[in-house]
PDB file of all heavy atoms in Angstrom:
ATOM      1  N   VAL A  50      -0.617   1.879  -8.041  1.00  0.00           N
ATOM      2  CA  VAL A  50      -0.772   1.384  -9.404  1.00  0.00           C
ATOM      3  C   VAL A  50       0.627   1.315 -10.011  1.00  0.00           C
ATOM      4  O   VAL A  50       1.453   2.193  -9.782  1.00  0.00           O
ATOM      5  CB  VAL A  50      -1.754   2.266 -10.208  1.00  0.00           C
ATOM      6  CG1 VAL A  50      -1.232   3.661 -10.419  1.00  0.00           C
ATOM      7  CG2 VAL A  50      -2.129   1.630 -11.521  1.00  0.00           C
ATOM      8  N   ARG A  51       0.917   0.253 -10.749  1.00  0.00           N
ATOM      9  CA  ARG A  51       2.282   0.038 -11.244  1.00  0.00           C
ATOM     10  C   ARG A  51       2.642   0.905 -12.442  1.00  0.00           C
ATOM     11  O   ARG A  51       3.814   1.172 -12.674  1.00  0.00           O
ATOM     12  CB  ARG A  51       2.479  -1.438 -11.576  1.00  0.00           C
ATOM     13  CG  ARG A  51       2.479  -2.253 -10.284  1.00  0.00           C
ATOM     14  CD  ARG A  51       2.958  -3.622 -10.457  1.00  0.00           C
ATOM     15  NE  ARG A  51       4.378  -3.630 -10.813  1.00  0.00           N
ATOM     16  CZ  ARG A  51       4.984  -4.694 -11.289  1.00  0.00           C
ATOM     17  NH1 ARG A  51       4.314  -5.809 -11.491  1.00  0.00           N
ATOM     18  NH2 ARG A  51       6.268  -4.660 -11.577  1.00  0.00           N
ATOM     19  N   ARG A  52       1.699   1.310 -13.212  1.00  0.00           N
ATOM     20  CA  ARG A  52       2.005   2.236 -14.302  1.00  0.00           C
ATOM     21  C   ARG A  52       1.780   3.645 -13.766  1.00  0.00           C
ATOM     22  O   ARG A  52       1.120   3.825 -12.748  1.00  0.00           O
ATOM     23  CB  ARG A  52       1.130   1.973 -15.521  1.00  0.00           C
ATOM     24  CG  ARG A  52      -0.307   2.346 -15.300  1.00  0.00           C
ATOM     25  CD  ARG A  52      -1.175   2.096 -16.529  1.00  0.00           C
ATOM     26  NE  ARG A  52      -2.524   2.557 -16.240  1.00  0.00           N
ATOM     27  CZ  ARG A  52      -2.963   3.781 -16.484  1.00  0.00           C
ATOM     28  NH1 ARG A  52      -2.195   4.688 -17.039  1.00  0.00           N
ATOM     29  NH2 ARG A  52      -4.203   4.124 -16.179  1.00  0.00           N
ATOM     30  N   HIS A  53       2.324   4.622 -14.426  1.00  0.00           N
ATOM     31  CA  HIS A  53       2.121   5.989 -13.962  1.00  0.00           C
ATOM     32  C   HIS A  53       0.725   6.451 -14.345  1.00  0.00           C
ATOM     33  O   HIS A  53       0.402   6.591 -15.523  1.00  0.00           O
ATOM     34  CB  HIS A  53       3.175   6.939 -14.542  1.00  0.00           C
ATOM     35  CG  HIS A  53       3.070   8.296 -13.945  1.00  0.00           C
ATOM     36  ND1 HIS A  53       3.511   8.568 -12.663  1.00  0.00           N
ATOM     37  CD2 HIS A  53       2.546   9.439 -14.422  1.00  0.00           C
ATOM     38  CE1 HIS A  53       3.275   9.836 -12.391  1.00  0.00           C
ATOM     39  NE2 HIS A  53       2.687  10.388 -13.441  1.00  0.00           N
ATOM     40  N   ALA A  54      -0.101   6.652 -13.341  1.00  0.00           N
ATOM     41  CA  ALA A  54      -1.445   7.202 -13.528  1.00  0.00           C
ATOM     42  C   ALA A  54      -1.630   8.245 -12.442  1.00  0.00           C
ATOM     43  O   ALA A  54      -1.433   7.953 -11.261  1.00  0.00           O
ATOM     44  CB  ALA A  54      -2.500   6.113 -13.415  1.00  0.00           C
ATOM     45  N   GLU A  55      -1.972   9.434 -12.840  1.00  0.00           N
ATOM     46  CA  GLU A  55      -2.116  10.507 -11.863  1.00  0.00           C
ATOM     47  C   GLU A  55      -3.531  10.552 -11.328  1.00  0.00           C
ATOM     48  O   GLU A  55      -4.488  10.561 -12.089  1.00  0.00           O
ATOM     49  CB  GLU A  55      -1.720  11.837 -12.489  1.00  0.00           C
ATOM     50  CG  GLU A  55      -0.230  11.875 -12.806  1.00  0.00           C
ATOM     51  CD  GLU A  55       0.247  13.217 -13.301  1.00  0.00           C
ATOM     52  OE1 GLU A  55      -0.526  14.196 -13.300  1.00  0.00           O
ATOM     53  OE2 GLU A  55       1.427  13.294 -13.692  1.00  0.00           O
ATOM     54  N   ARG A  56      -3.601  10.526 -10.008  1.00  0.00           N
ATOM     55  CA  ARG A  56      -4.857  10.621  -9.268  1.00  0.00           C
ATOM     56  C   ARG A  56      -5.814   9.488  -9.657  1.00  0.00           C
ATOM     57  O   ARG A  56      -5.554   8.726 -10.566  1.00  0.00           O
ATOM     58  CB  ARG A  56      -5.470  11.998  -9.439  1.00  0.00           C
ATOM     59  CG  ARG A  56      -4.526  13.084  -8.933  1.00  0.00           C
ATOM     60  CD  ARG A  56      -5.066  14.472  -9.168  1.00  0.00           C
ATOM     61  NE  ARG A  56      -4.117  15.464  -8.712  1.00  0.00           N
ATOM     62  CZ  ARG A  56      -3.022  15.837  -9.383  1.00  0.00           C
ATOM     63  NH1 ARG A  56      -2.749  15.306 -10.541  1.00  0.00           N
ATOM     64  NH2 ARG A  56      -2.217  16.741  -8.897  1.00  0.00           N
ATOM     65  N   ILE A  57      -6.900   9.394  -8.980  1.00  0.00           N
ATOM     66  CA  ILE A  57      -7.856   8.313  -9.239  1.00  0.00           C
ATOM     67  C   ILE A  57      -8.479   8.467 -10.622  1.00  0.00           C
ATOM     68  O   ILE A  57      -8.842   7.488 -11.263  1.00  0.00           O
ATOM     69  CB  ILE A  57      -8.925   8.231  -8.121  1.00  0.00           C
ATOM     70  CG1 ILE A  57      -9.608   6.867  -8.154  1.00  0.00           C
ATOM     71  CG2 ILE A  57      -9.877   9.411  -8.186  1.00  0.00           C
ATOM     72  CD1 ILE A  57     -10.398   6.546  -6.913  1.00  0.00           C
ATOM     73  N   THR A  58      -8.548   9.694 -11.117  1.00  0.00           N
ATOM     74  CA  THR A  58      -9.124   9.935 -12.438  1.00  0.00           C
ATOM     75  C   THR A  58      -8.241   9.406 -13.564  1.00  0.00           C
ATOM     76  O   THR A  58      -8.698   9.261 -14.689  1.00  0.00           O
ATOM     77  CB  THR A  58      -9.386  11.429 -12.653  1.00  0.00           C
ATOM     78  OG1 THR A  58      -8.159  12.144 -12.447  1.00  0.00           O
ATOM     79  CG2 THR A  58     -10.447  11.939 -11.688  1.00  0.00           C
ATOM     80  N   GLY A  59      -6.979   9.118 -13.265  1.00  0.00           N
ATOM     81  CA  GLY A  59      -6.069   8.586 -14.276  1.00  0.00           C
ATOM     82  C   GLY A  59      -6.086   7.073 -14.391  1.00  0.00           C
ATOM     83  O   GLY A  59      -5.399   6.518 -15.243  1.00  0.00           O
ATOM     84  N   LEU A  60      -6.853   6.388 -13.535  1.00  0.00           N
ATOM     85  CA  LEU A  60      -6.911   4.927 -13.598  1.00  0.00           C
ATOM     86  C   LEU A  60      -7.725   4.477 -14.804  1.00  0.00           C
ATOM     87  O   LEU A  60      -8.713   5.117 -15.173  1.00  0.00           O
ATOM     88  CB  LEU A  60      -7.531   4.364 -12.317  1.00  0.00           C
ATOM     89  CG  LEU A  60      -6.769   4.662 -11.025  1.00  0.00           C
ATOM     90  CD1 LEU A  60      -7.515   4.075  -9.834  1.00  0.00           C
ATOM     91  CD2 LEU A  60      -5.341   4.150 -11.089  1.00  0.00           C
ATOM     92  N   ASP A  61      -7.309   3.355 -15.399  1.00  0.00           N
ATOM     93  CA  ASP A  61      -8.071   2.806 -16.517  1.00  0.00           C
ATOM     94  C   ASP A  61      -9.189   1.916 -15.973  1.00  0.00           C
ATOM     95  O   ASP A  61      -9.391   1.819 -14.766  1.00  0.00           O
ATOM     96  CB  ASP A  61      -7.155   2.060 -17.495  1.00  0.00           C
ATOM     97  CG  ASP A  61      -6.533   0.805 -16.908  1.00  0.00           C
ATOM     98  OD1 ASP A  61      -7.043   0.257 -15.896  1.00  0.00           O
ATOM     99  OD2 ASP A  61      -5.520   0.344 -17.460  1.00  0.00           O
ATOM    100  N   GLU A  62      -9.926   1.254 -16.830  1.00  0.00           N
ATOM    101  CA  GLU A  62     -11.080   0.457 -16.399  1.00  0.00           C
ATOM    102  C   GLU A  62     -10.715  -0.716 -15.496  1.00  0.00           C
ATOM    103  O   GLU A  62     -11.434  -1.048 -14.561  1.00  0.00           O
ATOM    104  CB  GLU A  62     -11.859  -0.047 -17.621  1.00  0.00           C
ATOM    105  CG  GLU A  62     -12.532   1.055 -18.407  1.00  0.00           C
ATOM    106  CD  GLU A  62     -13.502   1.868 -17.565  1.00  0.00           C
ATOM    107  OE1 GLU A  62     -14.330   1.282 -16.849  1.00  0.00           O
ATOM    108  OE2 GLU A  62     -13.419   3.108 -17.623  1.00  0.00           O
ATOM    109  N   ALA A  63      -9.607  -1.386 -15.746  1.00  0.00           N
ATOM    110  CA  ALA A  63      -9.238  -2.570 -14.967  1.00  0.00           C
ATOM    111  C   ALA A  63      -8.728  -2.207 -13.568  1.00  0.00           C
ATOM    112  O   ALA A  63      -8.919  -2.972 -12.626  1.00  0.00           O
ATOM    113  CB  ALA A  63      -8.181  -3.376 -15.716  1.00  0.00           C
ATOM    114  N   GLU A  64      -8.081  -1.085 -13.423  1.00  0.00           N
ATOM    115  CA  GLU A  64      -7.447  -0.746 -12.154  1.00  0.00           C
ATOM    116  C   GLU A  64      -8.437  -0.513 -11.010  1.00  0.00           C
ATOM    117  O   GLU A  64      -8.279  -1.118  -9.936  1.00  0.00           O
ATOM    118  CB  GLU A  64      -6.494   0.440 -12.350  1.00  0.00           C
ATOM    119  CG  GLU A  64      -5.288   0.025 -13.177  1.00  0.00           C
ATOM    120  CD  GLU A  64      -4.585   1.153 -13.888  1.00  0.00           C
ATOM    121  OE1 GLU A  64      -5.143   2.274 -13.985  1.00  0.00           O
ATOM    122  OE2 GLU A  64      -3.464   0.918 -14.374  1.00  0.00           O
ATOM    123  N   PRO A  65      -9.475   0.283 -11.171  1.00  0.00           N
ATOM    124  CA  PRO A  65     -10.415   0.457 -10.054  1.00  0.00           C
ATOM    125  C   PRO A  65     -11.151  -0.840  -9.707  1.00  0.00           C
ATOM    126  O   PRO A  65     -11.506  -1.066  -8.555  1.00  0.00           O
ATOM    127  CB  PRO A  65     -11.403   1.516 -10.532  1.00  0.00           C
ATOM    128  CG  PRO A  65     -10.826   2.107 -11.748  1.00  0.00           C
ATOM    129  CD  PRO A  65      -9.796   1.173 -12.278  1.00  0.00           C
ATOM    130  N   ALA A  66     -11.362  -1.682 -10.696  1.00  0.00           N
ATOM    131  CA  ALA A  66     -12.086  -2.937 -10.459  1.00  0.00           C
ATOM    132  C   ALA A  66     -11.334  -3.861  -9.505  1.00  0.00           C
ATOM    133  O   ALA A  66     -11.945  -4.630  -8.778  1.00  0.00           O
ATOM    134  CB  ALA A  66     -12.342  -3.653 -11.785  1.00  0.00           C
TER     135      ALA A  66
END
Side-chain angles (χ1 to χ4, degrees):
V50 65
R51 291 193 66 194
R52 70 179 183 91
H53 187 75
E55 293 186 7
R56 300 176 182 78
I57 198 165
T58 56
L60 298 179
D61 66 20
E62 293 302 312
E64 291 157 346

